Amino acid sequence: MKYLTGLICLFVAVACTPEGTPDRRLSDVRDLAEARYGGNAPGGAILVMERGTVLMSEGFGLADLEWQQPAGADTTFRIGSISKIFAAIALLQLAEAGEVELDAPLGTYLDDLPESLAQPTLRQVLSHTSGLGDHFSLPVIPEIMRNPITPEGITALMADQTLMFEPGTRWGYSNFGYVLLGRVISAVDPERREFGRYIEEELFTPLGMDDSHFDRQSAIIPRRARGYDLGPDGPVNTITFDTSLADAAGALMTSADDMAVFTHALLGGELLSGDMQALAWTSVALPDGSDTQYGLGFNVSDFMGEQLIWHSGSINGFQATWAYQPGTERAVAVFSNGYYRANTTDTLRRILAIMAGRPAPEFTEQPFDETQWADMQGRYRLDDGEVLQFHIQDGIRFNIGGGHWRELAHGGNGLFFSPDTLRHFVVSADFASVTYVTTTLDRQDANRIDGGIEGAQVSLPLNPQETAQVIGDWTLGSGDIVAITQQADQLFLALPYQPPQRVFRAAPWEYFSRTAPISLQFTEGSPAATLNLYGNEMMLERQGG
Protein backbone atom coordinates (compact mmCIF):
# COMPACT_ATOMS: atom_id res chain seq x y z
CA MET A 1 0.00 0.00 0.00
CA LYS A 2 1.33 3.39 -0.98
CA TYR A 3 -0.10 6.78 -0.06
CA LEU A 4 0.50 10.32 -1.20
CA THR A 5 2.72 12.08 1.24
CA GLY A 6 1.09 14.82 3.27
CA LEU A 7 4.35 16.72 3.09
CA ILE A 8 3.71 18.01 -0.41
CA CYS A 9 0.89 20.27 0.74
CA LEU A 10 1.68 20.77 4.41
CA PHE A 11 2.96 24.14 5.52
CA VAL A 12 3.33 26.15 8.68
CA ALA A 13 1.41 29.41 8.97
CA VAL A 14 1.05 32.15 11.54
CA ALA A 15 -2.64 32.64 12.28
CA CYS A 16 -3.77 36.26 12.14
CA THR A 17 -6.82 38.14 13.26
CA PRO A 18 -8.87 39.98 10.61
CA GLU A 19 -6.91 43.11 11.55
CA GLY A 20 -3.69 41.33 10.58
CA THR A 21 -2.07 41.22 14.02
CA PRO A 22 -0.70 37.89 15.27
CA ASP A 23 -3.42 35.78 16.79
CA ARG A 24 -3.40 36.13 20.57
CA ARG A 25 -4.64 32.57 20.84
CA LEU A 26 -1.29 31.10 19.82
CA SER A 27 0.53 33.33 22.27
CA ASP A 28 -1.76 32.02 25.00
CA VAL A 29 -1.09 28.43 23.90
CA ARG A 30 2.66 29.05 24.10
CA ASP A 31 2.30 30.56 27.56
CA LEU A 32 0.32 27.51 28.68
CA ALA A 33 2.85 25.10 27.19
CA GLU A 34 5.81 26.93 28.68
CA ALA A 35 4.22 26.95 32.12
CA ARG A 36 3.43 23.24 31.94
CA TYR A 37 6.38 21.76 30.05
CA GLY A 38 9.05 24.47 29.87
CA GLY A 39 12.07 25.21 31.99
CA ASN A 40 15.04 23.09 33.00
CA ALA A 41 12.89 19.97 33.29
CA PRO A 42 11.40 17.18 31.16
CA GLY A 43 9.48 18.92 28.44
CA GLY A 44 7.18 18.23 25.55
CA ALA A 45 5.95 19.27 22.15
CA ILE A 46 2.71 20.91 21.00
CA LEU A 47 1.00 20.64 17.62
CA VAL A 48 -1.95 22.88 16.70
CA MET A 49 -3.66 22.61 13.31
CA GLU A 50 -6.71 24.36 11.91
CA ARG A 51 -8.39 23.57 8.58
CA GLY A 52 -5.38 21.54 7.50
CA THR A 53 -2.85 24.25 8.29
CA VAL A 54 -0.17 23.89 10.95
CA LEU A 55 -0.40 26.89 13.25
CA MET A 56 2.14 25.63 15.77
CA SER A 57 4.59 22.74 16.01
CA GLU A 58 7.04 23.52 18.77
CA GLY A 59 9.02 21.98 21.61
CA PHE A 60 9.26 23.11 25.22
CA GLY A 61 11.59 22.16 28.06
CA LEU A 62 14.21 19.45 27.71
CA ALA A 63 14.31 16.20 25.76
CA ASP A 64 17.38 15.05 27.71
CA LEU A 65 18.22 16.40 31.15
CA GLU A 66 21.74 15.01 31.29
CA TRP A 67 22.76 16.63 28.01
CA GLN A 68 20.47 19.64 28.51
CA GLN A 69 19.06 18.99 25.05
CA PRO A 70 15.96 21.08 24.28
CA ALA A 71 12.82 19.39 23.03
CA GLY A 72 11.78 20.39 19.53
CA ALA A 73 9.09 19.80 16.95
CA ASP A 74 11.21 16.95 15.55
CA THR A 75 11.93 15.30 18.93
CA THR A 76 10.72 11.70 18.98
CA PHE A 77 8.47 10.79 21.92
CA ARG A 78 6.96 7.51 23.02
CA ILE A 79 3.20 7.84 22.49
CA GLY A 80 1.87 4.79 24.34
CA SER A 81 -1.71 3.92 23.44
CA ILE A 82 -1.92 6.44 20.61
CA SER A 83 -0.21 3.53 18.86
CA LYS A 84 -3.67 1.92 18.79
CA ILE A 85 -4.78 4.51 16.21
CA PHE A 86 -2.06 3.34 13.82
CA ALA A 87 -2.78 -0.34 14.50
CA ALA A 88 -6.48 0.26 13.86
CA ILE A 89 -5.82 2.12 10.61
CA ALA A 90 -3.54 -0.68 9.37
CA LEU A 91 -6.21 -3.29 10.10
CA LEU A 92 -9.02 -1.21 8.59
CA GLN A 93 -6.93 -0.77 5.43
CA LEU A 94 -6.61 -4.55 5.24
CA ALA A 95 -10.37 -4.85 5.69
CA GLU A 96 -10.95 -2.42 2.82
CA ALA A 97 -8.56 -4.47 0.69
CA GLY A 98 -10.51 -7.64 1.47
CA GLU A 99 -7.63 -9.24 3.37
CA VAL A 100 -9.54 -9.51 6.66
CA GLU A 101 -13.20 -9.52 7.72
CA LEU A 102 -14.01 -7.26 10.67
CA ASP A 103 -16.70 -9.65 11.88
CA ALA A 104 -14.48 -12.73 11.69
CA PRO A 105 -13.28 -14.21 15.01
CA LEU A 106 -9.65 -13.83 16.01
CA GLY A 107 -9.26 -17.59 15.65
CA THR A 108 -9.79 -17.25 11.89
CA TYR A 109 -6.32 -15.73 11.65
CA LEU A 110 -4.54 -16.99 14.79
CA ASP A 111 -4.75 -20.76 15.14
CA ASP A 112 -2.74 -20.95 18.38
CA LEU A 113 -5.34 -19.19 20.52
CA PRO A 114 -7.26 -21.13 23.19
CA GLU A 115 -10.92 -21.53 22.28
CA SER A 116 -12.25 -18.76 24.53
CA LEU A 117 -9.66 -16.19 23.44
CA ALA A 118 -10.32 -17.04 19.78
CA GLN A 119 -14.02 -16.05 19.97
CA PRO A 120 -14.03 -12.22 19.80
CA THR A 121 -14.27 -10.64 16.36
CA LEU A 122 -11.77 -8.15 15.01
CA ARG A 123 -14.45 -5.44 15.28
CA GLN A 124 -14.99 -6.27 18.96
CA VAL A 125 -11.26 -6.18 19.67
CA LEU A 126 -10.88 -2.84 17.89
CA SER A 127 -13.70 -1.36 20.00
CA HIS A 128 -12.63 -2.92 23.34
CA THR A 129 -15.87 -4.90 23.55
CA SER A 130 -14.09 -8.25 23.17
CA GLY A 131 -14.04 -9.37 26.80
CA LEU A 132 -10.30 -10.01 26.57
CA GLY A 133 -8.27 -9.25 29.68
CA ASP A 134 -5.10 -7.18 29.90
CA HIS A 135 -1.67 -8.76 30.10
CA PHE A 136 -0.35 -5.77 32.04
CA SER A 137 -2.45 -6.98 34.98
CA LEU A 138 -0.52 -10.24 35.25
CA PRO A 139 1.53 -10.54 38.48
CA VAL A 140 4.61 -11.60 36.51
CA ILE A 141 4.87 -8.33 34.55
CA PRO A 142 7.17 -6.44 36.98
CA GLU A 143 9.64 -9.30 36.82
CA ILE A 144 9.79 -9.55 33.01
CA MET A 145 9.13 -6.01 31.81
CA ARG A 146 12.82 -5.17 31.29
CA ASN A 147 13.34 -7.99 28.78
CA PRO A 148 12.28 -8.34 25.13
CA ILE A 149 9.28 -10.53 24.41
CA THR A 150 7.44 -11.54 21.25
CA PRO A 151 3.71 -11.13 20.63
CA GLU A 152 3.53 -14.91 20.69
CA GLY A 153 5.20 -14.84 24.09
CA ILE A 154 2.59 -12.38 25.36
CA THR A 155 -0.12 -14.68 24.00
CA ALA A 156 1.40 -17.59 25.90
CA LEU A 157 1.30 -15.56 29.13
CA MET A 158 -2.46 -15.10 28.62
CA ALA A 159 -3.23 -18.64 27.46
CA ASP A 160 -4.97 -19.69 30.69
CA GLN A 161 -7.04 -16.50 30.99
CA THR A 162 -10.78 -16.56 30.37
CA LEU A 163 -12.91 -13.81 28.87
CA MET A 164 -14.07 -11.14 31.34
CA PHE A 165 -17.51 -11.02 29.70
CA GLU A 166 -19.37 -12.26 26.65
CA PRO A 167 -17.95 -10.49 23.59
CA GLY A 168 -20.02 -7.51 22.48
CA THR A 169 -21.99 -7.13 25.72
CA ARG A 170 -19.75 -4.74 27.65
CA TRP A 171 -16.79 -2.39 27.24
CA GLY A 172 -13.41 -3.18 28.78
CA TYR A 173 -10.09 -1.69 27.70
CA SER A 174 -7.64 -4.38 26.60
CA ASN A 175 -4.03 -3.83 25.59
CA PHE A 176 -3.76 -7.57 25.00
CA GLY A 177 -6.48 -7.34 22.37
CA TYR A 178 -4.39 -4.91 20.34
CA VAL A 179 -1.33 -7.16 20.65
CA LEU A 180 -3.47 -9.84 19.01
CA LEU A 181 -4.55 -7.40 16.29
CA GLY A 182 -0.87 -6.77 15.59
CA ARG A 183 -0.44 -10.52 15.19
CA VAL A 184 -3.39 -10.62 12.77
CA ILE A 185 -1.74 -7.93 10.65
CA SER A 186 1.44 -10.03 10.53
CA ALA A 187 -0.48 -13.24 9.81
CA VAL A 188 -2.20 -11.89 6.68
CA ASP A 189 0.87 -10.03 5.40
CA PRO A 190 2.44 -12.04 2.54
CA GLU A 191 5.88 -11.15 3.93
CA ARG A 192 4.85 -12.05 7.51
CA ARG A 193 6.42 -8.83 8.76
CA GLU A 194 6.16 -8.22 12.48
CA PHE A 195 3.84 -5.36 13.43
CA GLY A 196 6.56 -2.74 13.97
CA ARG A 197 8.20 -3.29 10.62
CA TYR A 198 4.82 -3.38 8.88
CA ILE A 199 3.77 -0.01 10.32
CA GLU A 200 7.14 1.55 9.49
CA GLU A 201 7.10 0.30 5.89
CA GLU A 202 3.40 0.68 5.10
CA LEU A 203 2.52 3.87 6.98
CA PHE A 204 5.49 5.84 8.26
CA THR A 205 7.84 5.59 5.27
CA PRO A 206 5.26 6.28 2.52
CA LEU A 207 4.06 9.35 4.42
CA GLY A 208 7.58 10.63 4.99
CA MET A 209 7.27 10.33 8.78
CA ASP A 210 11.01 10.11 9.35
CA ASP A 211 10.80 10.73 13.11
CA SER A 212 8.34 7.86 13.67
CA HIS A 213 9.39 4.37 14.68
CA PHE A 214 8.50 1.17 16.43
CA ASP A 215 10.38 1.68 19.70
CA ARG A 216 13.11 -0.94 19.84
CA GLN A 217 15.13 -0.51 23.02
CA SER A 218 18.43 -1.33 21.29
CA ALA A 219 17.84 0.89 18.25
CA ILE A 220 19.68 4.18 17.72
CA ILE A 221 16.88 6.66 17.12
CA PRO A 222 17.86 10.23 16.23
CA ARG A 223 16.42 12.91 18.50
CA ARG A 224 14.89 10.36 20.86
CA ALA A 225 13.57 11.97 24.05
CA ARG A 226 14.45 10.32 27.34
CA GLY A 227 11.58 9.59 29.71
CA TYR A 228 11.43 10.79 33.30
CA ASP A 229 9.46 10.14 36.46
CA LEU A 230 9.46 12.13 39.67
CA GLY A 231 11.50 10.74 42.54
CA PRO A 232 11.69 11.95 46.13
CA ASP A 233 14.31 14.56 45.22
CA GLY A 234 13.30 15.53 41.69
CA PRO A 235 13.24 14.00 38.20
CA VAL A 236 14.71 10.52 37.72
CA ASN A 237 15.26 8.43 34.61
CA THR A 238 12.20 6.26 34.15
CA ILE A 239 12.34 2.59 35.03
CA THR A 240 13.63 0.35 32.23
CA PHE A 241 10.71 -1.04 30.24
CA ASP A 242 11.06 -2.98 27.01
CA THR A 243 8.25 -1.72 24.81
CA SER A 244 7.99 -5.07 23.03
CA LEU A 245 5.66 -5.88 25.93
CA ALA A 246 3.27 -3.24 24.54
CA ASP A 247 3.76 -4.01 20.82
CA ALA A 248 0.75 -2.89 18.75
CA ALA A 249 -0.96 -1.61 21.90
CA GLY A 250 1.63 1.04 22.68
CA ALA A 251 5.16 0.67 21.28
CA LEU A 252 5.25 3.45 18.68
CA MET A 253 7.12 6.77 18.73
CA THR A 254 6.60 9.98 16.78
CA SER A 255 7.19 13.73 16.79
CA ALA A 256 4.93 16.78 16.62
CA ASP A 257 6.01 17.43 13.03
CA ASP A 258 5.30 13.84 12.01
CA MET A 259 1.92 13.89 13.77
CA ALA A 260 1.06 16.88 11.60
CA VAL A 261 1.90 14.85 8.49
CA PHE A 262 -0.19 11.93 9.74
CA THR A 263 -3.14 14.16 10.65
CA HIS A 264 -3.04 15.84 7.24
CA ALA A 265 -3.04 12.46 5.48
CA LEU A 266 -5.83 11.08 7.68
CA LEU A 267 -8.10 14.10 7.18
CA GLY A 268 -7.26 14.23 3.48
CA GLY A 269 -8.59 10.72 2.88
CA GLU A 270 -5.18 9.24 2.08
CA LEU A 271 -5.40 6.50 4.71
CA LEU A 272 -9.04 5.38 4.86
CA SER A 273 -12.08 5.78 2.66
CA GLY A 274 -14.75 8.16 3.86
CA ASP A 275 -17.07 5.30 4.81
CA MET A 276 -14.40 3.42 6.73
CA GLN A 277 -13.27 6.54 8.57
CA ALA A 278 -16.87 7.31 9.50
CA LEU A 279 -17.18 3.78 10.88
CA ALA A 280 -13.99 4.16 12.93
CA TRP A 281 -15.24 7.49 14.29
CA THR A 282 -18.69 6.17 15.30
CA SER A 283 -19.08 5.25 18.95
CA VAL A 284 -20.03 1.60 19.38
CA ALA A 285 -23.32 1.01 21.19
CA LEU A 286 -23.87 -1.96 23.49
CA PRO A 287 -26.96 -4.21 23.39
CA ASP A 288 -28.48 -2.30 26.32
CA GLY A 289 -28.25 0.91 24.30
CA SER A 290 -25.42 2.45 26.32
CA ASP A 291 -22.73 4.40 24.51
CA THR A 292 -19.13 3.20 24.85
CA GLN A 293 -17.66 6.51 23.60
CA TYR A 294 -15.16 4.43 21.61
CA GLY A 295 -15.19 3.59 17.92
CA LEU A 296 -12.67 1.41 16.11
CA GLY A 297 -9.35 2.57 17.51
CA PHE A 298 -10.54 6.08 18.43
CA ASN A 299 -12.24 7.63 21.45
CA VAL A 300 -15.42 9.40 20.38
CA SER A 301 -16.80 12.02 22.76
CA ASP A 302 -17.73 15.71 22.95
CA PHE A 303 -15.91 18.81 24.10
CA MET A 304 -17.50 22.25 24.39
CA GLY A 305 -20.47 21.08 22.32
CA GLU A 306 -18.36 19.67 19.48
CA GLN A 307 -17.58 16.06 18.65
CA LEU A 308 -14.03 15.10 19.62
CA ILE A 309 -12.09 12.23 18.03
CA TRP A 310 -9.09 11.46 20.18
CA HIS A 311 -6.75 9.07 21.93
CA SER A 312 -4.34 9.39 24.81
CA GLY A 313 -1.38 7.26 25.78
CA SER A 314 1.02 6.81 28.65
CA ILE A 315 4.02 4.58 29.04
CA ASN A 316 6.94 4.65 31.44
CA GLY A 317 8.28 8.22 31.51
CA PHE A 318 5.98 9.53 28.77
CA GLN A 319 2.42 10.72 28.16
CA ALA A 320 0.69 11.89 25.01
CA THR A 321 -2.70 12.94 23.63
CA TRP A 322 -3.96 13.61 20.08
CA ALA A 323 -7.41 14.92 19.10
CA TYR A 324 -9.41 16.21 16.16
CA GLN A 325 -12.61 18.28 16.29
CA PRO A 326 -14.49 17.79 13.00
CA GLY A 327 -16.84 20.71 13.68
CA THR A 328 -14.03 23.24 14.08
CA GLU A 329 -11.48 21.39 11.90
CA ARG A 330 -8.92 21.79 14.69
CA ALA A 331 -6.35 19.12 15.56
CA VAL A 332 -4.06 19.21 18.57
CA ALA A 333 -1.33 16.90 19.84
CA VAL A 334 0.52 17.18 23.14
CA PHE A 335 3.53 15.00 23.95
CA SER A 336 5.65 14.98 27.11
CA ASN A 337 8.69 13.04 28.29
CA GLY A 338 7.78 13.80 31.90
CA TYR A 339 5.19 11.32 33.13
CA TYR A 340 4.67 13.48 36.20
CA ARG A 341 4.29 16.78 34.38
CA ALA A 342 0.93 18.37 33.54
CA ASN A 343 -1.56 15.86 32.17
CA THR A 344 -1.45 15.99 28.36
CA THR A 345 -5.19 15.38 27.95
CA ASP A 346 -6.00 18.28 30.25
CA THR A 347 -3.49 20.46 28.37
CA LEU A 348 -5.01 19.49 25.02
CA ARG A 349 -8.50 20.41 26.19
CA ARG A 350 -7.23 23.74 27.47
CA ILE A 351 -5.63 24.41 24.10
CA LEU A 352 -8.90 23.67 22.31
CA ALA A 353 -10.67 26.03 24.71
CA ILE A 354 -8.11 28.76 23.99
CA MET A 355 -8.48 28.24 20.24
CA ALA A 356 -12.26 28.53 20.63
CA GLY A 357 -11.83 31.85 22.43
CA ARG A 358 -13.00 30.44 25.76
CA PRO A 359 -9.87 29.86 27.88
CA ALA A 360 -10.48 27.51 30.79
CA PRO A 361 -9.77 28.74 34.32
CA GLU A 362 -6.62 27.69 36.20
CA PHE A 363 -6.97 27.00 39.91
CA THR A 364 -4.45 27.15 42.76
CA GLU A 365 -4.79 24.85 45.74
CA GLN A 366 -5.61 26.54 49.04
CA PRO A 367 -5.49 25.15 52.61
CA PHE A 368 -8.45 22.92 53.43
CA ASP A 369 -9.99 22.86 56.90
CA GLU A 370 -12.14 19.74 57.25
CA THR A 371 -14.09 21.17 60.18
CA GLN A 372 -15.14 24.22 58.18
CA TRP A 373 -16.48 22.08 55.32
CA ALA A 374 -17.78 19.05 57.25
CA ASP A 375 -21.43 19.91 56.45
CA MET A 376 -20.67 19.71 52.73
CA GLN A 377 -20.43 15.92 53.00
CA GLY A 378 -23.52 14.29 51.59
CA ARG A 379 -25.55 13.50 48.48
CA TYR A 380 -26.71 15.84 45.69
CA ARG A 381 -28.98 15.18 42.71
CA LEU A 382 -27.57 16.40 39.39
CA ASP A 383 -29.68 17.73 36.53
CA ASP A 384 -29.25 14.46 34.62
CA GLY A 385 -30.56 12.42 37.58
CA GLU A 386 -27.24 11.00 38.72
CA VAL A 387 -26.24 11.24 42.37
CA LEU A 388 -23.15 13.27 43.26
CA GLN A 389 -21.51 12.44 46.61
CA PHE A 390 -18.86 14.26 48.63
CA HIS A 391 -16.85 12.49 51.33
CA ILE A 392 -14.67 14.40 53.78
CA GLN A 393 -11.95 12.63 55.75
CA ASP A 394 -8.21 13.09 55.19
CA GLY A 395 -9.20 15.61 52.50
CA ILE A 396 -12.21 15.73 50.19
CA ARG A 397 -13.31 13.51 47.32
CA PHE A 398 -16.36 12.90 45.14
CA ASN A 399 -18.05 10.27 43.05
CA ILE A 400 -20.94 10.31 40.59
CA GLY A 401 -23.39 7.48 40.04
CA GLY A 402 -21.51 5.17 42.38
CA GLY A 403 -18.31 5.35 40.32
CA HIS A 404 -14.72 5.73 41.47
CA TRP A 405 -13.96 8.20 44.22
CA ARG A 406 -11.72 11.00 42.98
CA GLU A 407 -9.73 13.42 45.09
CA LEU A 408 -10.41 17.15 45.03
CA ALA A 409 -8.32 20.18 45.94
CA HIS A 410 -9.71 23.31 47.59
CA GLY A 411 -9.48 26.41 45.42
CA GLY A 412 -10.95 28.85 47.92
CA ASN A 413 -14.34 30.58 48.09
CA GLY A 414 -16.33 27.34 47.94
CA LEU A 415 -14.54 26.08 44.83
CA PHE A 416 -13.13 22.54 44.63
CA PHE A 417 -11.27 21.18 41.63
CA SER A 418 -9.94 17.92 40.34
CA PRO A 419 -6.19 18.37 39.76
CA ASP A 420 -5.01 17.88 36.18
CA THR A 421 -8.52 18.15 34.74
CA LEU A 422 -11.01 20.90 33.94
CA ARG A 423 -13.54 19.42 36.38
CA HIS A 424 -14.57 21.65 39.28
CA PHE A 425 -17.41 22.30 41.70
CA VAL A 426 -18.76 25.48 43.29
CA VAL A 427 -20.66 24.89 46.54
CA SER A 428 -23.26 27.27 47.93
CA ALA A 429 -22.62 28.84 51.34
CA ASP A 430 -25.45 26.84 52.93
CA PHE A 431 -24.29 23.55 51.29
CA ALA A 432 -27.75 23.18 49.71
CA SER A 433 -26.61 23.24 46.08
CA VAL A 434 -23.59 22.68 43.86
CA THR A 435 -22.61 23.82 40.37
CA TYR A 436 -20.64 21.12 38.56
CA VAL A 437 -18.43 21.94 35.56
CA THR A 438 -17.30 18.79 33.75
CA THR A 439 -14.04 17.96 31.96
CA THR A 440 -15.79 18.98 28.74
CA LEU A 441 -16.73 22.37 30.26
CA ASP A 442 -20.41 21.45 30.33
CA ARG A 443 -22.34 22.64 33.38
CA GLN A 444 -24.85 20.94 35.64
CA ASP A 445 -26.54 22.05 38.84
CA ALA A 446 -27.19 19.75 41.79
CA ASN A 447 -29.39 20.05 44.86
CA ARG A 448 -28.90 18.34 48.19
CA ILE A 449 -30.95 15.20 48.86
CA ASP A 450 -31.48 13.10 51.96
CA GLY A 451 -29.45 10.04 52.86
CA GLY A 452 -25.95 9.20 53.93
CA ILE A 453 -23.08 8.74 51.51
CA GLU A 454 -22.43 5.26 50.18
CA GLY A 455 -19.24 3.41 49.26
CA ALA A 456 -16.67 5.76 50.78
CA GLN A 457 -13.64 4.12 52.37
CA VAL A 458 -13.12 5.26 55.95
CA SER A 459 -9.63 5.33 57.45
CA LEU A 460 -8.70 4.23 60.97
CA PRO A 461 -6.14 5.79 63.31
CA LEU A 462 -2.65 4.34 63.08
CA ASN A 463 -1.65 1.69 65.61
CA PRO A 464 1.89 2.40 66.91
CA GLN A 465 2.84 -1.27 67.38
CA GLU A 466 1.52 -2.19 63.93
CA THR A 467 3.14 0.83 62.29
CA ALA A 468 6.53 -0.16 63.71
CA GLN A 469 6.34 -3.46 61.82
CA VAL A 470 5.08 -1.91 58.60
CA ILE A 471 7.59 0.90 58.02
CA GLY A 472 10.84 0.05 56.25
CA ASP A 473 12.10 -1.12 52.85
CA TRP A 474 10.33 -3.96 51.05
CA THR A 475 11.60 -5.74 47.93
CA LEU A 476 9.56 -6.63 44.86
CA GLY A 477 10.23 -9.78 42.84
CA SER A 478 11.91 -7.53 40.27
CA GLY A 479 14.44 -6.41 42.90
CA ASP A 480 13.01 -2.88 43.08
CA ILE A 481 12.45 -1.31 46.49
CA VAL A 482 9.13 -0.16 47.94
CA ALA A 483 9.66 2.13 50.93
CA ILE A 484 7.15 2.81 53.69
CA THR A 485 7.98 5.74 55.95
CA GLN A 486 6.31 7.67 58.76
CA GLN A 487 6.10 11.41 59.27
CA ALA A 488 4.35 12.41 62.49
CA ASP A 489 1.02 10.56 62.45
CA GLN A 490 1.05 9.87 58.70
CA LEU A 491 2.33 6.92 56.63
CA PHE A 492 3.82 7.28 53.15
CA LEU A 493 4.42 4.74 50.39
CA ALA A 494 7.21 5.30 47.84
CA LEU A 495 6.96 3.02 44.82
CA PRO A 496 10.06 2.56 42.62
CA TYR A 497 10.95 5.80 40.80
CA GLN A 498 7.96 7.58 42.34
CA PRO A 499 7.59 10.27 45.01
CA PRO A 500 6.03 9.19 48.32
CA GLN A 501 2.25 9.21 48.54
CA ARG A 502 0.20 9.05 51.70
CA VAL A 503 -1.49 5.77 52.62
CA PHE A 504 -4.23 5.18 55.16
CA ARG A 505 -5.15 2.36 57.53
CA ALA A 506 -8.28 0.57 56.31
CA ALA A 507 -8.25 -2.22 58.93
CA PRO A 508 -5.64 -3.96 61.07
CA TRP A 509 -2.67 -4.68 58.78
CA GLU A 510 -4.44 -3.27 55.70
CA TYR A 511 -3.61 0.07 54.05
CA PHE A 512 -4.80 1.96 50.98
CA SER A 513 -4.12 5.03 48.86
CA ARG A 514 -6.79 7.63 48.24
CA THR A 515 -5.18 8.92 45.04
CA ALA A 516 -4.74 5.65 43.13
CA PRO A 517 -6.04 2.04 43.24
CA ILE A 518 -3.21 0.86 45.48
CA SER A 519 -3.48 -1.26 48.64
CA LEU A 520 -1.15 -3.12 50.99
CA GLN A 521 -1.83 -6.26 53.02
CA PHE A 522 0.50 -7.28 55.86
CA THR A 523 0.48 -10.19 58.30
CA GLU A 524 1.57 -9.68 61.89
CA GLY A 525 5.09 -11.02 62.42
CA SER A 526 5.55 -12.02 58.77
CA PRO A 527 8.40 -10.75 56.51
CA ALA A 528 6.05 -11.03 53.49
CA ALA A 529 3.33 -8.66 52.33
CA THR A 530 1.12 -8.10 49.27
CA LEU A 531 1.03 -4.94 47.16
CA ASN A 532 -2.04 -4.54 44.96
CA LEU A 533 -1.18 -2.03 42.25
CA TYR A 534 -4.03 -1.19 39.86
CA GLY A 535 -5.46 -4.69 40.35
CA ASN A 536 -2.07 -6.35 39.92
CA GLU A 537 -1.03 -8.30 43.03
CA MET A 538 2.71 -8.41 43.75
CA MET A 539 4.57 -10.01 46.62
CA LEU A 540 6.84 -7.98 48.89
CA GLU A 541 9.65 -9.25 51.10
CA ARG A 542 11.05 -7.17 53.92
CA GLN A 543 14.71 -6.33 53.29
CA GLY A 544 16.89 -8.28 55.66
CA GLY A 545 14.04 -10.66 56.51
Side-chain angles (χ1 to χ4, degrees), residues 157-190:
L157 290 176
M158 295 289 286
D160 61 350
Q161 303 293 307
T162 58
L163 293 177
M164 298 186 298
F165 51 83
E166 182 183 348
T169 63
R170 289 168 51 192
W171 191 87
Y173 196 83
S174 175
N175 287 295
F176 175 55
Y178 270 73
V179 171
L180 294 181
L181 292 181
R183 288 193 58 198
V184 170
I185 291 169
S186 298
V188 301
D189 176 30

Side-chain angles (χ1 to χ4, degrees), residues 104-380:
L106 282 168
T108 305
Y109 308 101
L110 304 175
D111 57 13
D112 64 333
L113 293 180
E115 184 177 351
S116 64
L117 302 187
Q119 293 176 23
T121 66
L122 303 188
R123 188 190 304 268
Q124 290 165 341
V125 179
L126 281 166
S127 62
H128 295 293
T129 59
S130 66
L132 292 166
D134 200 311
H135 61 292
F136 285 112
S137 295
L138 295 173
V140 72
I141 293 301
E143 299 178 25
I144 67 172
M145 68 181 187
R146 292 174 169 85
N147 302 317
I149 190 170
T150 64
E152 292 75 16
I154 296 171
T155 304
L157 290 176
M158 295 289 286
D160 61 350
Q161 303 293 307
T162 58
L163 293 177
M164 298 186 298
F165 51 83
E166 182 183 348
T169 63
R170 289 168 51 192
W171 191 87
Y173 196 83
S174 175
N175 287 295
F176 175 55
Y178 270 73
V179 171
L180 294 181
L181 292 181
R183 288 193 58 198
V184 170
I185 291 169
S186 298
V188 301
D189 176 30
E191 299 178 42
R192 296 296 189 269
R193 288 169 291 182
E194 48 87 23
F195 169 78
R197 183 181 159 207
Y198 184 94
I199 291 295
E200 289 172 333
E201 295 179 356
E202 297 295 334
L203 278 178
F204 293 162
T205 297
L207 290 174
M209 295 173 65
D210 297 332
D211 300 324
S212 302
H213 314 272
F214 183 89
D215 184 10
R216 299 168 183 86
Q217 188 165 288
S218 60
I220 304 301
I221 295 177
R223 299 177 299 282
R224 180 206 289 259
R226 298 194 65 161
Y228 299 93
D229 295 315
L230 184 63
D233 302 314
V236 295
N237 288 312
T238 190
I239 190 169
T240 302
F241 173 83
D242 195 293
T243 51
S244 61
L245 194 59
D247 198 64
L252 299 182
M253 310 178 73
T254 192
S255 67
D257 279 352
D258 272 10
M259 208 64 184
V261 173
F262 163 76
T263 301
H264 194 276
L266 179 65
L267 303 183
E270 297 180 37
L271 303 182
L272 297 172
S273 69
D275 288 344
M276 187 61 82
Q277 184 164 288
L279 178 66
W281 290 3
T282 300
S283 178
V284 172
L286 298 177
D288 64 3
S290 59
D291 185 0
T292 63
Q293 295 196 329
Y294 201 93
L296 304 184
F298 296 83
N299 288 286
V300 183
S301 59
D302 293 318
F303 182 70
M304 297 176 64
E306 297 282 354
Q307 186 187 48
L308 190 68
I309 309 299
W310 65 285
H311 217 296
S312 62
S314 62
I315 195 165
N316 299 57
F318 293 83
Q319 52 170 324
T321 310
W322 171 91
Y324 175 64
Q325 258 187 334
T328 65
E329 296 185 75
R330 294 189 183 108
V332 176
V334 182
F335 304 143
S336 178
N337 61 323
Y339 187 80
Y340 68 93
R341 299 214 72 179
N343 181 272
T344 53
T345 301
D346 180 59
T347 302
L348 181 143
R349 287 173 173 152
R350 290 179 180 276
I351 290 172
L352 286 173
I354 289 171
M355 297 303 296
R358 294 168 53 193
E362 293 267 18
F363 304 118
T364 302
E365 185 170 3
Q366 304 294 325
F368 176 64
D369 182 351
E370 290 187 12
T371 59
Q372 179 184 351
W373 297 95
D375 290 341
M376 177 180 161
Q377 178 167 295
R379 295 158 60 85
Y380 300 76

